[in-house]
Structures are given as structure tokens and as C-alpha cells.
């Protein structure tokens, strides 16, 4: 509780009695350093009605931060609650901890007013365990008979911005032409929520989040996502900016998606520059929107005639 008291300004108050009760029920996880004591802890509850974890406190001692302790605590919590859908956490936006939450695997879903007198905004962060639900079932159905195409954040913003009529915006808007609707299913990953959260306009963030519901989201499990992140890390700069981290997570979520997605559309020249390496290793084609349209028929036939689609059929190959 000394650690909680030292960080009470950001954690919020919690009566000692409630703290002891939750600890006695096994809802407190701590990281203990030899000869030092508790250097980090998390406190949580479980919503039976929503089948999810509610994260109440997440704290690491100042001198022990940036050592991976927070990630270890979240990983342990995930193992203990794997039967649930995921973890929900609330954090004040002005604490500027977006990068930490995103690095842990959380994505911002909603915002709501805080209880403080200064009019703070709380962001609700979600860590999805990747279990199938009605939305993932719907995603499978929608991509069953179409070419599944994941779109980068820059493409998404082009598509939803009615005021953007520059050449790059026009190139992206080709993807929503009427004649393409039966052919393509445009998909997003959860990383789009982190991209939206960087917008400083709260009304714009709300509008963009509402628009994302019109797109199909690609589901993936956290384990496969983590593995994909490690596998593609070498293709990104050693010293990465926030945008680089988002690009990495974006590509990793497409690679690890439970829905087979062979195409990732972007205008990002740096991502287009690693297309050959990514395609060779992960069979994911990073492509510009105009190139996708030009090669649509070729790409569609590649998808239709992939060898894996012939497995289990009565077709056999022999010389004539």
C-alpha cells in the first residue's frame, strides 16, 4: 500500500479496507524484487455480466519503470483470466500514457467525462484476448466470397475525409468505387484506434470511431500477434517513432489475422519499400491503391487458384 500511497495522484483513492479485501480474494498481483520488496502491482476485478477484467490499479515504482515489469504483470493477469474476453482499463487522457497502453497491446475504444472538477477526459482502453464472438463470425461471413484487403490508416482517413480532394486522396477513393464493391472487402485492424486517438480534436475522434463500425475488423489472437511483432521488428528502424510503432503493429495484426488477408493497401512509401521482404516471408502483398486496381483481375485469380483452395478436392494432376 506504500506504493499506492506514493502514486495516489494518478491512481485515485482506494480505502485500505477495500484494498485488503481484494488482496485476500486474489485480485492483486505484485512484482517482488529480492531485498527490495514490492516494486509494482496491479489490482483488478471481474465483471461476470460482461465476462471481462476491469483493471483498477496498475503501478510501478518510479525507479523500476521501463524494465518490462508492467508487461509482465499484464501477461500474468492474462494467463489467470484467459477464460474471459479481455481487459478494460480507464485512464485520463491528459496523463499522456497512450504509448504505454498501446505497447502493452491495448487499444482505445471510447472516451467519457471524468469525475474531476477540471473536466478531465477518461479514455477506455481494451485488451482483447481474441476469443470468437458474433462480430468475428460476421467478419468471416463477409470475407468468404470477396478479396479481403486490409487498409492502412492513411487510406482510411482518405476514404472518410470528404474535404480531401488532392491527388493522393483521389487515388485512395478509387477503392470505394461502385464496381469494386462486389469484389473487395475493405478491412481494418484494431490499430486504427491508436491512430485516431492521436487526433487532438475530441469531436473528430468521436466521429472517426463511429465511422470505423462500417468496416470489417480483422480478428487475431494476442499470442500470434506478439510473435508477428517480433518477426517483423527487423524491417523497422532501430529508433522508432510513434508512427513506426503503429505501422509495425498494423502489419503484425494483418499477418496474424485469423482471416486470410493477402493484401495490405497503403500510400506509405517506407512500407511499400519493404514489400518484397514481407511478401517472401509472410505472403502479404503491400501495395499502393492504384496498383491494386490495375492488377485486380490478376490478384483475384491468384486468390481463386491458390493451391490451398484445392486441398481435399478430387482434382489430380498428370501429364497429357
Amino acid at each position: 500500500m506504500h506504493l499506492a500511497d506514493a502514486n495516489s495522484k494518478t491512481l485515485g483513492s482506494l480505502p485500505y479496507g477495500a484494498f485488503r479485501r481484494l488482496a485476500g480474494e486474489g485480485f492483486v498481483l505484485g512484482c517482488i524484487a529480492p531485498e527490495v520488496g514490492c516494486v509494482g502491482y496491479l489490482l483488478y476485478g471481474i465483471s461476470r455480466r460482461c465476462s471481462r477484467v476491469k483493471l483498477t490499479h496498475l503501478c510501478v515504482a518510479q525507479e523500476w519503470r521501463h524494465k518490462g515489469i508492467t508487461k509482465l504483470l499484464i501477461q500474468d493477469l492474462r494467463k489467470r483470466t484467459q477464460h474471459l474476453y479481455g481487459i478494460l482499463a480507464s485512464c485520463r487522457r491528459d496523463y499522456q500514457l497512450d504509448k504505454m497502453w498501446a505497447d502493452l497491446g491495448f487499444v482505445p475504444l471510447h472516451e467519457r467525462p471524468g469525475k474531476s472538477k477540471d473536466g478531465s477526459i477518461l479514455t477506455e482502453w481494451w485488451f482483447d484476448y481474441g476469443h470468437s464472438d458474433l462480430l468475428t463470425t460476421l467478419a468471416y461471413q463477409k470475407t468468404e466470397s470477396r478479396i479481403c484487403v486490409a487498409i492502412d490508416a492513411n487510406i482510411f482517413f482518405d476514404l472518410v475525409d470528404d474535404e480531401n480532394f488532392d491527388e493522393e486522396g483521389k487515388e485512395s477513393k478509387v477503392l470505394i468505387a461502385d464496381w469494386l464493391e462486389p469484389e473487395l472487402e475493405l478491412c481494418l485492424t484494431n490499430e486504427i484506434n491508436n491512430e485516431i486517438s492521436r487526433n487532438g480534436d475530441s469531436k473528430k475522434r468521436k466521429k472517426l470511431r463511429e465511422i470505423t463500425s462500417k468496416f470489417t475488423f480483422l480478428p487475431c489472437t494476442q499470442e500470434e500477434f506478439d510473435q508477428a511483432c517480433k518477426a517483423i521488428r527487423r524491417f523497422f528502424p532501430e529508433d522508432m517513432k510513434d508512427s513506426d510503432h503503429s505501422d509495425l503493429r498494423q502489419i503484425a495484426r494483418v499477418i496474424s489475422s485469423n482471416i486470410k488477408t493477402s493484401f495490405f493497401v497503403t500510400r506509405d512509401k517506407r512500407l511499400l519499400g519493404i514489400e518484397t521482404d514481407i511478401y517472401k516471408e509472410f505472403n502479404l502483398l503491400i501495395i499502393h491503391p492504384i496498383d491494386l486496381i490495375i492488377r485486380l483481375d490478376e490478384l483475384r485469380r491468384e486468390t481463386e487458384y491458390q493451391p490451398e483452395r484445392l486441398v481435399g478436392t478430387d482434382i489430380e494432376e498428370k501429364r497429357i
Side-chain angles (χ1 to χ4, degrees):
M1 284 189 274
H2 295 295
L3 197 54
D5 290 339
N7 295 272
S8 59
K9 288 186 178 180
T10 54
L11 291 174
S13 61
L14 185 71
Y16 287 159
F19 206 111
R20 292 193 183 95
R21 178 178 60 80
L22 290 169
E25 295 175 356
F27 292 125
V28 177
L29 302 179
C31 180
I32 310 300
E35 301 179 3
V36 177
C38 181
V39 297
Y41 79 94
L42 64 76
L43 183 152
Y44 69 99
I46 293 179
S47 171
R48 306 292 179 185
R49 182 173 62 86
C50 301
S51 295
R52 68 188 181 195
V53 178
K54 180 65 174 71
L55 192 59
T56 306
H57 281 186
L58 178 59
C59 181
V60 175
Q62 182 73 40
E63 63 274 20
W64 285 82
R65 293 174 186 175
H66 309 296
K67 298 181 184 295
I69 293 174
T70 307
K71 182 165 287 189
L72 288 175
L73 288 169
I74 293 296
Q75 287 175 347
D76 191 45
L77 176 61
R78 192 176 84 199
K79 290 178 183 177
R80 293 168 181 261
T81 58
Q82 192 59 43
H83 59 290
L84 303 174
Y85 283 119
I87 307 170
L88 184 68
S90 298
C91 183
R92 281 179 53 157
R93 182 174 173 85
D94 57 2
Y95 288 166
Q96 299 182 342
L97 293 174
D98 288 20
K99 184 179 184 303
M100 181 201 77
W101 291 112
D103 287 344
L104 290 172
F106 286 78
V107 293
L109 293 186
H110 309 287
E111 293 176 6
R112 57 184 173 85
K115 295 181 180 180
S116 63
K117 296 180 180 179
D118 55 1
S120 61
I121 296 176
L122 290 179
T123 301
E124 294 191 336
W125 293 84
W126 175 247
F127 186 110
D128 197 304
Y129 287 170
H131 299 317
S132 295
D133 55 21
L134 291 176
L135 290 178
T136 55
T137 301
L138 180 60
Y140 286 125
Q141 292 174 348
K142 293 175 70 174
T143 57
E144 195 171 23
S145 59
R146 296 179 179 178
I147 298 175
C148 187
V149 176
I151 59 173
D152 197 0
N154 52 51
I155 303 295
F156 169 76
F157 293 135
D158 286 344
L159 296 181
V160 302
D161 187 358
D162 294 331
E163 299 177 1
N164 184 9
F165 293 104
D166 60 18
E167 284 305 313
E168 291 185 334
K170 290 179 181 178
E171 290 175 349
S172 298
K173 285 180 168 62
V174 172
L175 295 170
I176 55 175
D178 291 341
W179 66 274
L180 281 173
E181 196 273 336
E183 297 280 349
L184 303 181
E185 183 66 32
L186 301 182
C187 303
L188 295 170
T189 74
N190 283 339
E191 186 58 30
I192 191 63
N193 294 292
N194 288 321
E195 299 272 10
I196 292 173
S197 188
R198 295 194 186 99
N199 192 304
D201 187 332
S202 61
K203 292 182 179 178
K204 187 70 171 177
R205 291 195 302 272
K206 181 180 180 181
K207 180 181 178 182
L208 290 171
R209 288 189 180 111
E210 290 173 351
I211 294 174
T212 61
S213 64
K214 299 178 182 179
F215 290 79
T216 297
F217 275 79
L218 296 175
C220 69
T221 64
Q222 188 64 32
E223 291 77 10
E224 292 178 341
F225 168 65
D226 289 340
Q227 291 174 6
C229 285
K230 292 178 182 178
I232 66 174
R233 177 62 182 86
R234 67 184 187 276
F235 300 119
F236 290 82
E238 183 175 346
D239 185 18
M240 295 204 297
K241 302 176 183 178
D242 287 347
S243 58
D244 294 320
H245 284 287
S246 267
D247 288 341
L248 185 148
R249 290 191 294 263
Q250 181 99 281
I251 299 295
R253 288 192 182 278
V254 177
I255 290 173
S256 59
S257 172
N258 296 332
I259 295 176
K260 178 62 178 176
T261 308
S262 300
F263 316 114
F264 179 75
V265 183
T266 183
R267 290 190 288 97
D268 190 318
K269 293 180 180 179
R270 197 187 62 75
L271 290 180
L272 291 168
I274 62 174
E275 177 269 327
T276 301
D277 294 325
I278 295 294
Y279 182 74
K280 285 181 179 178
E281 189 163 344
F282 304 101
N283 201 30
L284 174 66
L285 183 60
I286 301 176
I287 191 169
H288 190 277
I290 294 299
D291 293 330
L292 176 69
I293 302 305
I294 292 173
R295 298 178 56 191
L296 179 59
D297 188 61
E298 175 190 345
L299 296 177
R300 176 165 51 83
R301 292 179 183 276
E302 279 186 13
T303 303
E304 289 176 353
Y305 294 111
Q306 283 177 357
E308 63 185 34
R309 290 178 173 265
L310 302 180
V311 175
T313 69
D314 293 329
I315 298 175
E316 59 182 68
E317 180 181 339
K318 60 184 178 181
R319 295 181 65 85
I320 297 176

